[in-house]
């Protein structure tokens, strides 16, 4: 999908963010802050995630979880997990069951990750992500569709509620407050894609 991968320095050069913003985000990565990138469709959330992930220290073990492989991480200790839909048998073999992002998040914890990268949160897997982030996997990152940084919190809470685990809304909000340290909102401004909020 992505024929051109931008570095964080290149995103600064094209005006997607300022040098000061880049320093804040690099410091957040160094300090192992959990980062959620929000924005609309086609605003460059995955491009920004790729650029930020390049600044993860090479000593860290990173588990990447996606529905479609879009995160490119040139690091020595990366485990890639990819979701799949149920697949009908082609011949006499048994059908392959679906593997969801939630399944992969639970499996990821067995791979001893230092950081977890989830391509996008859009449903019930938000609950499993919060569980992982609140059990010692600091410095993790993901993206979510939202119209502002503030709305990203509400959207994440709604995604958690779709898991139907019976968690009260107040507890959901507390779990989000503990798990998410930085929200970066990226939006289209005229014809450009720019970070508008951190």
């Amino acid at each position: 999908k992505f024929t051109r991968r931008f570095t964080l320095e290149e995103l600064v050069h094209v005006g997607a963010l300022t040098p000061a913003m880049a320093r804040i985000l690099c410091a957040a990565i160094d300090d192992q802050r959990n980062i959620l990138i929000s924005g609309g469709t086609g605003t460059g959330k995955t491009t920004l995630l790729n650029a930020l992930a390049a600044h993860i220290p090479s000593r860290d073990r990173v588990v990447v979880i996606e529905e479609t492989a879009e995160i490119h991480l040139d690091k020595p200790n990366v485990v890639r997990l990819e979701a799949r839909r149920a697949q009908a048998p082609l011949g006499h073999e048994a059908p392959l069951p679906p593997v969801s992002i939630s399944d992969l998040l639970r499996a990821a914890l067995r791979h001893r990750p230092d950081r977890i990268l989830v391509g996008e949160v859009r449903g019930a897997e938000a609950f499993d992500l919060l569980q992982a982030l609140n059990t010692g996997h600091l410095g993790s990152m993901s993206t979510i569709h939202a119209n502002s940084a503030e709305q990203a919190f509400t959207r994440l809470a709604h995604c958690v509620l779709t898991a139907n685990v019976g968690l009260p809304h107040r507890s959901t909000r507390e779990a989000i407050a503990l798990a998410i340290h930085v929200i970066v909102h990226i939006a289209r401004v005229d014809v450009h894609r720019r970070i508008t909020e951190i």
Side-chain angles (χ1 to χ4, degrees):
K1 182 176 178 182
F2 297 99
T3 55
R4 173 86 164 86
R5 298 189 191 278
F6 288 87
T7 65
L8 195 58
E9 293 72 21
E10 288 171 331
L11 290 177
V12 168
H13 181 71
V14 298
L17 70 164
T18 66
M21 288 175 173
R23 286 192 295 273
I24 289 168
L25 295 176
C26 286
I29 293 167
D30 291 341
D31 293 340
Q32 295 183 295
R33 300 295 182 200
N34 295 328
I35 299 172
L36 184 64
I37 300 168
S38 70
T41 303
T43 53
K45 296 184 298 296
T46 304
T47 298
L48 180 59
L49 179 59
N50 270 306
L52 292 177
H55 288 266
I56 292 173
S58 294
R59 66 178 179 275
D60 288 357
R61 182 171 175 80
V62 183
V63 174
V64 179
I65 298 172
E66 299 178 272
E67 280 192 351
T68 305
E70 295 175 343
I71 298 172
H72 175 74
L73 198 55
D74 188 17
K75 299 287 179 184
N77 200 351
V78 175
V79 177
R80 298 188 139 285
L81 303 174
E82 197 169 328
R84 73 165 181 231
R85 293 187 177 92
Q87 296 178 5
L90 296 174
H92 297 291
E93 71 273 8
L96 288 173
V99 178
S100 69
I101 297 291
S102 290
D103 295 331
L104 296 178
L105 274 161
R106 289 189 291 271
L109 303 184
R110 298 188 192 101
H111 290 275
R112 199 187 51 77
D114 293 310
R115 301 177 191 244
I116 299 171
L117 303 186
V118 179
E120 184 181 345
V121 176
R122 59 173 66 148
E125 68 275 3
F127 173 75
D128 297 285
L129 178 62
L130 287 185
Q131 294 291 93
L133 297 184
N134 281 325
T135 53
H137 301 92
L138 296 172
S140 298
M141 291 185 256
S142 187
T143 72
I144 193 166
H145 278 81
N147 293 324
S148 69
E150 186 178 352
Q151 283 187 24
F153 283 116
T154 303
R155 177 118 167 72
L156 186 59
H158 289 168
C159 289
V160 171
L161 292 173
T162 63
N164 292 321
V165 292
L167 196 65
H169 188 63
R170 183 185 187 90
S171 297
T172 300
R173 289 169 59 92
E174 287 173 354
I176 291 170
L178 290 169
I180 305 299
H181 305 125
V182 180
I183 294 224
V184 183
H185 186 73
I186 188 166
R188 288 190 186 195
V189 180
D190 298 324
V191 296
H192 303 287
R193 295 170 174 87
R194 292 207 168 97
I195 290 177
T196 57
E197 298 175 85
I198 297 177

